[in-house]
Amino acid sequence: MNLFDHNRSLPIGSDAKLSTGWWGVLALIVTESALFAYLLFTYFYLSAQTEQQWPPEGLPSLTMPVINTIILLASSVSVWASEHYIRLKQIRWSIGLMALSIILGISFVLIQLIEWHKKPYGLTSDLYGSLYFTITGFHMCHVVIGIAVLLLLLVWLSLGYFDDRRHAAVTIGGMYWHFVDVVWLFVFATLYLFPYSDSV
Amino acid sequence: MAISDKKHNLPDNRLERVPEYGCAPTGSTAQMRLADTWECNPGWRGWFSTVDHKTIGLRYLVTAFIFLLIGGIEALIMRAQLSLPDQTLLTPEQYNQLFTMHGITMIFLYALPILSGFSNYLWPLLLGSRDMAFPRLNALSYWIFLFAGVFMYASFPLGQAPNAGWFNYVPFSGPVYNTGPNIDVFALGMVLLGISTTVGAVNFIVTLFKMRAPGMTINRVPILVWGTLTASVANLITIPAVSLAFLLLWLDRQVGTQFFDVANGGKPLLWQHLFWIFGHPWVYAIVLPAMGIVSDALPTFCRRPLVGYTAVALATMATMMFGFVVWVHHMFATGLPTVSLSIFGAASMAISIPSAVAVFAWIATIWLGRPVFKTPFLFFAGFVILFVIGGLSGVMVAAVSLNWQLNETYFIVAHLHYVLLGINVFPVIGGIYYWFPKFTGRMMNEKLGKWSFWVMFVGFNAAFFPMHIAGLLGMPRRIYTYSSHMGWDSVNMITSIGSFIFAIGILIFLVNVMISLKRGVLAGSNPWDAATLEWSISSPPPAYNFAVIPVIASRHPLWENRLNESSERSSLSEGYLLTTGHETIGTSPIDAKPQVILKMPGDSYTPFFAGLFVSLLFVGLLFHWWTFTGVMTAACCVTLILWMWPRQSLVQRAVSNAGHSSQNNSEKI
């Protein structure tokens, strides 16, 4: 039988990208991306046919949303770095960077809550409001779940559960966080940048 | 056994080892050890906590079949109402609820779950693995399916079941025209069921890519696997559309958003788009795995391999690719631009090409083989005939002009029943006849089997063929009665008689199942002399499936000697033993080279509780019990955290750290 060498040594258990969990999170990301695609489809479908003032308050202010976007992207970088430092066997750095990511994530949530508060419309006041709050609400849910995941990773890191050879949970959880951040770019482009395309 | 040394770290046999390779005949120590490890807990504990894919698969099959019977009884009541003109057995509202629940039951609670049952039971056996990639997720998927089914039926006894048809068009299903709880039950139930379908799909996809036996390259997997894979990918991409649609509808109804609210700029057609973007791929998701059942089982009765394996595998995927871009053919009469209708009409017709590839492959297999006319063969051959009839009426209604004539008539009802019963129910019943010996260790009765086929086949055609004529005579679907002046009396009478004959056929099948469970002839491991891996192990299979993980050299591991396609032979009795706890082998996605020893979880209560809490969360939403909903969300989170907590036994944690490695360190220096 020379199909393969059965005397080769094989890793055991959840070994990073060989683990089923890694494939599982990729499949989860496919289905979640589809969900956001349908949300944005809903937005474009309705906005293309609307006769209302769109958005109701005129062109959205970009300053805070842009800052917030940068904060979210920075958190992705720091999650990436946290995983990188596990591989370098520098768990303290890894823990610190994971904590930083969580703080950045929470800052995003707080700034987004302020943004919500400033809007003159609500979820039920008009069609635009229904869309805006449903889409950003969906994203907010994902951020909150993502922060919960990062918190768990922080606890597990602190308990010394992971080292350079076994840290699949960080790879998997980190991937989910990157997804949450990338999908925000689409949400941001749709809700904040797209309205400007009509006014040019 | 020598441990190969690695450059970067001290060799640690808890992190990597050379898996033991050898034989494990019945009665050997290795085999006893496997039986000990994989056997699930006895009694109610095992019942709630099992993650064995075979148990879960059978549960799916039985539960989905019960839903088939419920949906069937609903249909019979409707046929009794329609057998004669001007009947008053049912009120219009009762009729609305019955046809809606009939559609929901058959399409959502029967058609896909029954195929998930087959796939759950069979996949690891077909692929040479000891379980699915995510055993606990598998259990969760079943529990949520069960709870979602109960949820959607909860308002039925109160006379407030969903009543706007299974595709539930707004504005009729919106807050203005439908004020009861009927639609909310449907909407939330569908979001809940969507979770079950999605996690099930993830499980199938990862299982295919990671869990195949060494040597089972991607071009050697059975067609059933291709069918379920294609369906799962489609579900992953399209389920969010319908879940979102139902969530937005629920928000419109209960929170006051305005997505579908015409008065405030919402668009009813948005509903139709979101629903059918999901709905059309879904109809392929509920037929492609069934076509896979036929592609795998029919060759056994033709005594030769399937003709055109590659063509059929590609046709399966091509059908789904087209399936993504034909949803508008459900909306031809909504006033969309002509150019859009033409494109979608053409795409719909093009689907007949991959479908025809599969049909000709089956016909060629029968033609070139030496058919053995056992009961499963009859069902599969019957399926081919019904598929052709249903396919032809499909091409007819894909033509926009004819579609406008036939839209919302019984012609459509005839078409969809030919394809859904023809391509789903017939292969499913045939599949049960075929794999019953594997499930139970006993054969089903041939004589009753042949009776059940012929009664079903005659009853089916008597029931549904006249519906084409009723449609051409202009009878609209979903009317609760009609006047005898319309000239629809005789077609309806024939249809009703046919439907009861069909039901008698199903009854004969059920009697056969009951009798055969007790008194069926004992089946050996391979009663049909079939070619695929599941027939290489005892019937029913042991808890661990394969005593050694087989090494595969062809598409037909059990027919290699007689086909003699190459000099290579699969090795079924010698392979990886993996007896250290719940273990199986993880292989590379395309050419199935061994990559990793996967640690599998054992029995666990977490899937049951996660499923229960999620379902109760939806109950909370239905009744606006916000505190209760919050508590259930928290309970869900806690369950999931326990579920995900990294374990030493699954080698998810670092093992070299002192203080955490008290177990399993047999060879610590």
Side-chain angles (χ1 to χ4, degrees):
Chain A
M1 194 57 54
N2 46 14
L3 284 166
F4 61 94
D5 172 17
H6 58 72
N7 290 317
R8 227 184 80 205
S9 173
L10 299 176
I12 304 170
S14 292
D15 185 8
K17 293 182 183 174
L18 289 180
S19 68
T20 47
W22 168 253
W23 285 76
V25 79
L26 293 184
L28 176 72
I29 286 172
V30 169
T31 193
E32 292 257 59
S33 305
L35 173 66
F36 279 94
Y38 296 123
L39 271 169
L40 299 184
F41 166 79
T42 302
Y43 173 88
F44 287 116
Y45 184 85
L46 293 173
S47 78
Q49 303 180 63
T50 188
E51 285 151 18
Q52 302 170 1
Q53 161 91 356
W54 199 271
E57 86 271 35
L59 292 175
S61 149
L62 288 180
T63 326
M64 285 316 284
V66 166
I67 293 172
N68 220 10
T69 304
I70 292 167
I71 290 176
L72 200 60
L73 292 180
S75 78
S76 238
V77 173
S78 93
V79 165
W80 174 83
S82 170
E83 192 197 336
H84 188 67
Y85 276 101
I86 304 177
R87 286 206 219 104
L88 298 178
K89 301 187 193 182
Q90 299 190 320
I91 295 294
R92 286 202 180 164
W93 274 98
S94 178
I95 291 173
L97 283 160
M98 191 59 81
L100 175 68
S101 315
I102 293 166
I103 293 167
L104 290 169
I106 292 172
S107 318
F108 174 87
V109 171
L110 294 177
I111 292 174
Q112 187 64 18
L113 285 176
I114 296 169
E115 281 286 298
W116 278 2
H117 194 70
K118 284 198 299 202
K119 295 288 173 193
Y121 43 80
L123 177 65
T124 57
S125 55
D126 56 22
L127 185 60
Y128 183 88
S130 295
L131 279 166
Y132 176 85
F133 283 100
T134 304
I135 295 171
T136 53
F138 255 102
H139 185 259
M140 180 72 102
C141 275
H142 283 75
V143 174
V144 170
I145 292 167
I147 291 174
V149 169
L150 296 185
L151 272 170
L152 274 176
L153 292 177
L154 180 69
V155 170
W156 294 337
L157 275 169
S158 312
L159 288 171
Y161 281 4
F162 304 130
D163 65 4
D164 54 312
R165 298 192 64 186
R166 283 295 175 277
H167 55 267
V170 182
T171 314
I172 293 164
M175 191 64 199
Y176 183 77
W177 185 254
H178 296 321
F179 159 73
V180 170
D181 296 352
V182 168
V183 92
W184 169 253
L185 295 179
F186 289 90
V187 171
F188 173 75
T190 304
L191 292 178
Y192 291 91
L193 300 183
F194 178 69
Y196 283 88
S197 67
D198 281 344
S199 62
V200 180
Chain B
M1 195 164 276
I3 290 171
S4 68
D5 54 335
K6 288 278 162 184
K7 293 140 224 154
H8 54 280
N9 247 331
L10 283 172
D12 186 334
N13 72 332
R14 292 160 302 167
L15 284 178
E16 61 172 271
R17 71 168 199 265
V18 178
E20 316 72 29
Y21 196 87
C23 303
T26 317
S28 63
T29 353
Q31 186 263 334
M32 312 270 258
R33 231 173 122 181
L34 280 170
D36 259 6
T37 314
W38 288 83
E39 214 64 67
C40 82
N41 286 323
W44 64 269
R45 285 199 190 85
W47 206 85
F48 280 109
S49 66
T50 184
V51 294
D52 184 335
H53 71 95
K54 300 183 284 299
T55 313
I56 294 168
L58 289 177
R59 281 179 187 173
Y60 255 111
L61 286 171
V62 171
T63 313
F65 209 89
I66 291 171
F67 279 121
L68 175 75
L69 297 179
I70 295 172
I73 290 166
E74 287 159 359
L76 291 179
I77 298 171
M78 289 190 286
R79 281 325 308 179
Q81 161 76 14
L82 291 176
S83 58
L84 295 168
D86 301 315
Q87 291 267 82
T88 51
L89 177 65
L90 296 169
T91 65
E93 174 61 20
Q94 283 170 336
Y95 191 85
N96 285 352
Q97 297 190 12
L98 273 180
F99 79 66
T100 304
M101 287 312 286
H102 170 72
I104 293 173
T105 307
M106 294 308 202
I107 288 173
F108 298 120
L109 300 176
Y110 157 76
L112 189 79
I114 196 114
L115 299 176
S116 299
F118 277 106
S119 299
N120 265 320
Y121 191 95
L122 292 170
W123 268 46
L125 304 182
L126 292 170
L127 298 176
S129 175
R130 288 196 178 137
D131 209 325
M132 299 281 285
F134 303 110
R136 289 173 293 185
L137 211 52
N138 211 7
L140 176 71
S141 167
Y142 171 75
W143 290 120
I144 297 185
F145 155 59
L146 176 67
F147 295 145
V150 172
F151 186 96
M152 285 202 257
Y153 262 95
S155 61
F156 190 76
L158 306 173
Q160 300 196 305
N163 57 0
W166 70 277
F167 41 79
N168 204 45
Y169 281 172
V170 289
F172 179 65
S173 60
V176 179
Y177 301 100
N178 220 316
T179 48
N182 319 47
I183 303 298
D184 298 311
V185 171
F186 186 23
L188 293 172
M190 281 299 288
V191 179
L192 185 58
L193 184 65
I195 300 172
S196 160
T197 316
T198 303
V199 297
V202 169
N203 207 355
F204 285 126
I205 292 169
V206 180
T207 302
L208 173 76
F209 285 119
K210 289 298 292 180
M211 310 289 282
R212 305 198 306 275
M216 185 177 280
T217 50
I218 198 83
N219 58 343
R220 287 176 183 161
V221 299
I223 300 282
L224 170 60
V225 175
W226 282 115
T228 310
L229 173 76
T230 311
S232 300
V233 171
N235 282 338
L236 214 53
I237 297 171
T238 59
I239 293 277
V242 77
S243 299
L244 179 66
F246 274 105
L247 185 77
L248 297 184
L249 177 63
W250 182 78
L251 287 174
D252 265 16
R253 292 174 56 85
Q254 298 299 325
V255 180
T257 55
Q258 292 153 12
F259 297 104
F260 308 116
D261 180 357
V262 188
N264 291 300
K267 297 283 175 214
L269 272 192
L270 173 64
W271 171 271
Q272 297 196 20
H273 280 297
L274 285 175
F275 189 90
W276 290 117
I277 284 174
F278 149 83
H280 205 85
W282 177 264
V283 307
Y284 294 117
I286 62 184
V287 299
L288 290 176
M291 289 158 71
I293 288 177
V294 176
S295 298
D296 284 347
L298 182 66
T300 303
F301 298 95
C302 297
R303 314 306 305 143
R304 59 152 295 133
L306 179 70
V307 173
Y309 169 94
T310 312
V312 175
L314 290 174
T316 303
M317 284 181 290
T319 305
M320 189 52 89
M321 292 307 236
F322 281 119
F324 285 125
V325 290
V326 298
W327 82 87
V328 166
H329 74 214
H330 297 270
M331 303 165 62
F332 278 167
T334 54
L336 292 173
T338 319
V339 64
S340 153
L341 303 189
S342 314
I343 292 169
F344 281 92
S348 307
M349 288 191 183
I351 286 196
S352 55
I353 296 169
S355 307
V357 168
V359 168
F360 284 117
W362 296 316
I363 293 175
T365 308
I366 299 174
W367 191 284
L368 298 173
R370 287 173 286 118
V372 181
F373 294 94
K374 297 278 188 186
T375 308
F377 176 84
L378 296 179
F379 275 95
F380 301 143
F383 145 84
V384 175
I385 296 168
L386 301 181
F387 186 22
V388 170
I389 300 174
L392 278 175
S393 60
V395 176
M396 289 166 74
V397 291
V400 178
S401 46
L402 193 58
N403 186 293
W404 282 347
Q405 289 300 312
L406 298 172
N407 187 44
E408 293 293 313
T409 69
Y410 260 84
F411 192 90
I412 305 294
V413 182
H415 163 67
L416 77 92
H417 283 86
Y418 262 90
V419 286
L420 292 184
L421 277 95
I423 320 182
N424 184 299
V425 177
F426 277 79
V428 160
I429 306 265
I432 293 175
Y433 274 107
Y434 181 61
W435 279 296
F436 190 84
K438 190 51 62 184
F439 297 155
T440 63
R442 289 177 186 275
M443 303 295 288
M444 283 182 77
N445 185 302
E446 254 315 290
K447 199 171 175 186
L448 277 174
K450 290 203 166 112
W451 270 100
S452 70
F453 169 74
W454 286 111
V455 174
M456 277 175 69
F457 191 74
V458 169
F460 175 84
N461 285 294
F464 294 103
F465 200 82
M467 283 187 179
H468 291 107
I469 297 158
L472 292 171
L473 292 174
M475 181 172 172
R477 66 195 288 199
R478 296 180 170 176
I479 51 168
Y480 85 107
T481 192
Y482 52 92
S483 151
S484 75
H485 302 301
M486 306 301 293
W488 303 333
D489 298 15
S490 35
V491 280
N492 275 294
M493 184 45 111
I494 298 169
T495 292
S496 292
I497 293 171
S499 66
F500 278 88
I501 295 174
F502 183 72
I504 292 169
I506 295 274
L507 202 62
I508 298 173
F509 164 75
L510 284 177
V511 169
N512 196 354
V513 168
M514 295 302 165
I515 292 177
S516 306
L517 268 178
K518 284 232 155 76
R519 293 210 293 267
V521 183
L522 286 179
S525 59
N526 192 1
W528 307 113
D529 187 23
T532 37
L533 272 184
E534 79 273 29
W535 302 105
S536 70
I537 51 178
S538 64
S539 310
Y544 48 83
N545 294 352
F546 295 91
V548 300
I549 307 288
V551 181
I552 304 304
S554 77
R555 275 175 208 154
H556 317 284
L558 306 188
W559 282 2
E560 280 165 4
N561 284 332
R562 75 185 79 150
L563 294 174
N564 214 6
E565 285 168 332
S566 80
S567 59
E568 285 195 4
R569 293 289 180 266
S570 300
S571 161
L572 303 178
S573 55
E574 194 186 21
Y576 286 129
L577 289 164
L578 301 175
T579 52
T580 323
H582 289 77
E583 287 181 342
T584 192
I585 205 80
T587 48
S588 60
I590 305 297
D591 37 355
K593 301 256 190 235
Q595 279 185 325
V596 58
I597 299 169
L598 293 169
K599 287 281 187 183
M600 307 302 286
D603 291 358
S604 165
Y605 293 103
T606 43
F608 173 77
F609 283 106
L612 182 68
F613 293 141
V614 159
S615 307
L616 289 175
L617 190 162
F618 278 79
V619 173
L621 287 177
L622 181 66
F623 289 107
H624 293 202
W625 297 338
W626 304 125
T627 325
F628 180 79
T629 307
V631 173
M632 285 305 127
T633 312
C636 262
C637 292
V638 171
T639 316
L640 288 177
I641 290 171
L642 290 176
W643 181 334
M644 301 296 165
W645 202 268
R647 292 180 199 201
Q648 203 78 271
S649 59
L650 301 179
V651 201
Q652 291 169 324
R653 285 198 217 162
V655 294
S656 44
N657 274 2
H660 290 289
S661 55
S662 46
Q663 53 191 45
N664 281 342
N665 48 359
S666 48
E667 284 200 28
K668 205 164 183 186
I669 306 157

